[in-house]
Amino acid sequence: MNKTYYDPADLRKFGKITEWSEELGTKFFDYYGKVFEEGALSAREKSLIALAVSHVVKCPYCIDAYTKDGLQRGITKEEMMESVHVGAAIESGATLVHGVQMMNKYEKLSH
C-alpha cells in the first residue's frame, strides 16, 4: 500500500490551475515568480523561508518542491532542518500565545 492521499505527480500539474481560471492563475504565477526573484533576500534565503513555511502550512507538495529547490541551491540538510525548527517554534509560539486569550476569558467568567 504505497498509495498516499497526496500524489507527488500532482505537483507537476500545478500549472494547470490556469485552465479553469486563466486570468487569476496567470496573475498568481506572475506574482509567485516575482516574489522568488533575487531582491533584498537571496533566492537561497527565500528557498529556506519557503521550506519552513511549507512545513507550517503542512503542504506536502511545497515540502517536496522546496526540499528539491534547496538541494539545487546548495542548502545543507542541517540548514533545512533548522529552518523547519524555526517554523515549528513560530507556529507553537503562536498557538501558545493564544493561551492568554483563554486565560483572560477564564478570569472574566470565573469571578
Side-chain angles (χ1 to χ4, degrees), residues 56 85-98:
V56 171
H85 279 283
V86 169
I90 294 299
E91 184 178 30
S92 60
T95 299
L96 290 170
V97 77
H98 280 83

Side-chain angles (χ1 to χ4, degrees), residues 11-94:
L11 180 57
R12 291 188 300 274
K13 300 175 187 174
F14 187 30
K16 292 182 179 243
I17 65 165
T18 58
E19 292 176 5
W20 288 21
S21 180
E22 185 174 354
E23 179 185 3
L24 293 176
T26 299
K27 285 181 180 186
F28 167 76
F29 284 117
D30 288 346
Y31 167 75
Y32 193 87
K34 193 76 174 159
V35 164
F36 283 94
E37 288 178 359
E38 292 276 340
L41 296 172
S42 69
R44 187 180 191 281
E45 291 167 323
K46 290 178 181 187
S47 184
L48 273 171
I49 292 168
L51 182 62
V53 171
S54 297
H55 282 79
V56 171
V57 300
K58 297 163 184 63
C59 175
Y61 301 113
C62 304
I63 293 167
D64 285 358
Y66 286 100
T67 299
K68 180 179 177 184
D69 186 71
L71 279 168
Q72 292 169 342
R73 294 183 188 284
I75 297 172
T76 67
K77 65 184 179 185
E78 293 83 8
E79 290 171 310
M80 288 185 193
M81 185 56 75
E82 190 169 330
S83 78
V84 171
H85 279 283
V86 169
I90 294 299
E91 184 178 30
S92 60

